[in-house]
DNA sequence: CGTCTCTTTGAATGGTATCAAACCCGGTGG
DNA sequence: CCACCGGGTTTGATACCATTCAAAGAGACG
């Protein structure tokens, strides 16, 4: 029932990152072959991480860098007043815990939204590799810069745009991320509940629900509980004030 | 009148970063002595950068990393709709242009809010140093992580908090940053106009003005144009929902 | 099949945006 | 010195969107 946290290395059938089905999504594709070899040696795979299990808590010292293999994860911080503040959602291939690896301790918390499989790289090993591979440093800088750009984008979304635009952007963003992962961009399941969506977008549960209903009423989407179908992608993009046209493959959708 | 962009190296009386009055604020204090020596060799100082002169525009390839020596700078992006989105303000000692140095081109623009003096480090030199000094990499990762934390914090401020809280946080944040720079934390000048403040906080000019007036009416601050005096720091902190107590010297105020 | 949680829907309240006008200040020219 | 601008700022009245409070409906699970 509970996750077995002491799996043998690279359990699960693969012998190295090179064979991983997520290779094309993982940052491992961007580093040197020998660094990847070393990575394969130190990576710990964990599966059966259950829903609502925490990967780490805010303030904790960083123990490992985590790559999500399957499932989804919610990142959040806790304000002084004690309420939760959702900062992002991770999908397979995403690196979880970047907030910590340069400071030594995590800024926020990360919790599984459903059963997950992970790749974990102990910080000690990772720091060692960082000291030896400028290439790996570059990749990390890029990942951080991307995460920052993401945070900036969210900043512009939350607090400046109306509810309908925020929700439309949220759905589109998710859709694009699923697409990059070879999943159906028009039919997917929301692993987070309305409360998390509302929190993430800086809205209330009721407003999110109302907005989703409105989008459904206007035949832009079909939504039933956690299941979403995008009926009119163009209309959705219009709501989000973005053009849905050229399939440019920019960094980090 | 216009800036002389071809200053001799280290003009201005100092022979190296070690002698710089800003040393204690600059990231140069955190790198090895010899890396700092190299830095001193490649740094270009520029002074007389006039108000509303741009350091860089969004989309431009990064030419240099800039450290602000005096004056203040506004960072902003331009949305698809063409309107400006203020993402931050830089004060002396801050590094400007971090958004670019790992991607190669700037995500946003940076413009002087008043006459500025700068230290510029050509990217080519900087990249070379990055490839040679893991320590420097660490420092850069830390700076990026800090900037990300800052962006995250702003995210929580904008769009979740009411106008009064946002403005109070803005004033307190500025105050703390002035304090770190040995300036009076209770009496300072806003180099940005109301429009920039409003944009940064995700509010309208009118709301910012009204809120400042209200804070003045309640004897929390005194404000006259761009000149601010904090009368009741505790009350201001209360408005901002933060405790103003232990002078902990955490990273990046 | 009842209970609990999540979600949806409704009505009223409230905070901020919007529209509009007055004000203040620095600069210019008579 | 003072009248006259023009931009930025302040203040006022109204409208609107999201929140809040409240309750009903839908799903998951024992």
């Amino acid at each position: 029932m509970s996750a077995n946290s002491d799996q043998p290395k690279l359990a699960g059938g693969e012998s190295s990152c090179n064979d991983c089905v997520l290779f094309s999504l993982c940052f491992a594709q961007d580093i040197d072959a020998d660094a990847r070899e070393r990575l394969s040696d130190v990576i710990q795979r964990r599966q059966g991480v259950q829903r609502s299990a925490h990967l780490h808590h805010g303030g904790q010292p960083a123990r490992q860098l985590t790559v999500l293999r399957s499932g989804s994860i919610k990142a959040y911080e806790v304000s002084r007043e004690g309420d939760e503040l959702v900062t992002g959602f991770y999908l397979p291939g995403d690196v979880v815990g970047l907030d910590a690896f340069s400071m030594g301790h995590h800024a926020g918390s990360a919790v599984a939204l459903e059963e997950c499989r992970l790749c974990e790289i102990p910080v000690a090993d990772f720091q060692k590799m960082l000291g030896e591979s400028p290439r790996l440093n570059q990749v990390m800088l890029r990942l951080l810069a991307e995460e920052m750009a993401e945070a900036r984008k969210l900043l512009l979304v939350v607090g400046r745009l109306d509810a309908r635009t925020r929700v439309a952007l949220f759905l589109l963003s998710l859709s694009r991320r699923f697409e990059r992962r070879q999943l159906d961009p028009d039919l997917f399941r929301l692993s987070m509940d309305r409360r998390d969506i509302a929190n993430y977008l800086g809205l209330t549960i009721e407003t999110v629900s109302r907005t989703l209903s409105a989008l459904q009423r206007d035949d832009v989407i079909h939504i039933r509980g956690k299941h979403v179908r995008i009926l009119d992608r163009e209309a959705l993009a219009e709501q989000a004030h973005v053009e849905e046209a050229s399939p440019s493959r920019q960094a980090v959708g």
Side-chain angles (χ1 to χ4, degrees), chain A:
Chain A
M1 183 63 67
S2 64
N4 183 348
S5 58
D6 200 30
Q7 295 280 337
K9 291 174 185 174
L10 295 180
E14 293 132 14
S15 60
S16 91
C17 290
N18 297 313
D19 303 326
C20 182
V21 291
L22 288 173
F23 184 64
S24 68
L25 288 171
C26 183
F27 76 92
Q29 69 172 312
D30 298 323
I31 64 179
D32 326 275
D34 55 335
R36 199 153 59 232
E37 201 60 42
R38 290 218 27 210
L39 207 56
S40 300
D41 290 340
V42 299
I43 278 182
Q44 306 267 352
R45 295 234 168 115
R46 272 176 66 194
Q47 35 194 316
V49 175
Q50 295 300 323
R51 174 182 157 80
S52 71
H54 271 78
L55 279 72
H56 58 77
H57 289 278
Q60 276 186 343
R63 284 194 299 268
Q64 69 276 317
L65 202 65
T66 304
V67 181
L68 182 58
R69 298 196 69 211
S70 71
S72 55
I73 286 168
K74 173 180 75 170
Y76 68 95
E77 302 188 12
V78 177
S79 76
R80 256 169 289 263
E81 288 78 33
D83 32 45
E84 191 174 304
L85 297 159
V86 177
T87 56
F89 301 101
Y90 294 105
L91 299 182
D94 290 337
V95 179
V96 185
L98 278 182
D99 57 336
F101 87 100
S102 73
M103 315 229 237
H105 59 88
H106 289 284
S109 305
V111 62
L113 289 172
E114 53 194 323
E115 185 169 346
C116 291
R117 286 182 299 149
L118 315 172
C119 281
E120 294 182 341
I121 309 158
V123 280
D125 296 305
F126 195 74
Q127 288 291 359
K128 190 139 165 280
M129 294 181 67
L130 273 179
E132 295 164 0
S133 166
R135 185 92 178 81
L136 184 56
N137 273 291
Q138 300 274 49
V139 173
M140 284 302 115
L141 281 171
R142 203 205 63 216
L143 285 177
L144 257 182
E146 284 174 358
E147 191 143 321
M148 190 168 82
E150 193 66 24
R152 279 268 156 72
K153 201 163 57 178
L154 183 57
L155 178 62
L156 306 184
V157 170
V158 174
R160 290 179 150 90
L161 308 176
D162 63 19
R164 197 171 168 102
T165 308
R166 295 188 208 190
V167 171
L169 276 168
F170 174 72
L171 292 175
L172 266 185
S173 166
L174 268 187
S175 173
R176 294 221 189 87
R177 293 171 72 189
F178 286 128
E179 189 170 30
R180 275 194 56 188
R181 288 161 177 78
Q182 319 290 347
L183 300 170
D184 192 331
D186 292 330
L187 180 60
F188 51 87
R189 187 182 157 276
L190 301 170
S191 59
M192 68 294 290
D193 60 21
R194 298 287 188 275
R195 184 177 132 278
D196 289 332
I197 299 174
N199 194 320
Y200 178 68
L201 295 176
L203 300 168
T204 58
I205 294 181
E206 295 94 323
T207 299
V208 169
S209 180
R210 264 186 262 272
T211 306
L212 288 171
S213 297
L215 286 171
Q216 177 162 247
R217 174 176 45 72
D218 298 345
D219 294 322
V220 177
I221 63 171
H222 177 82
I223 185 157
R224 184 69 178 263
K226 296 195 180 308
H227 295 276
V228 180
R229 181 188 291 278
I230 295 178
L231 299 174
D232 188 342
R233 168 166 292 264
E234 199 147 336
L236 191 60
E238 197 174 328
Q239 297 298 329
H241 303 298
V242 296
E243 305 111 33
E244 183 73 10
S246 55
S248 64
R249 35 126 185 76
Q250 286 280 48
V252 87

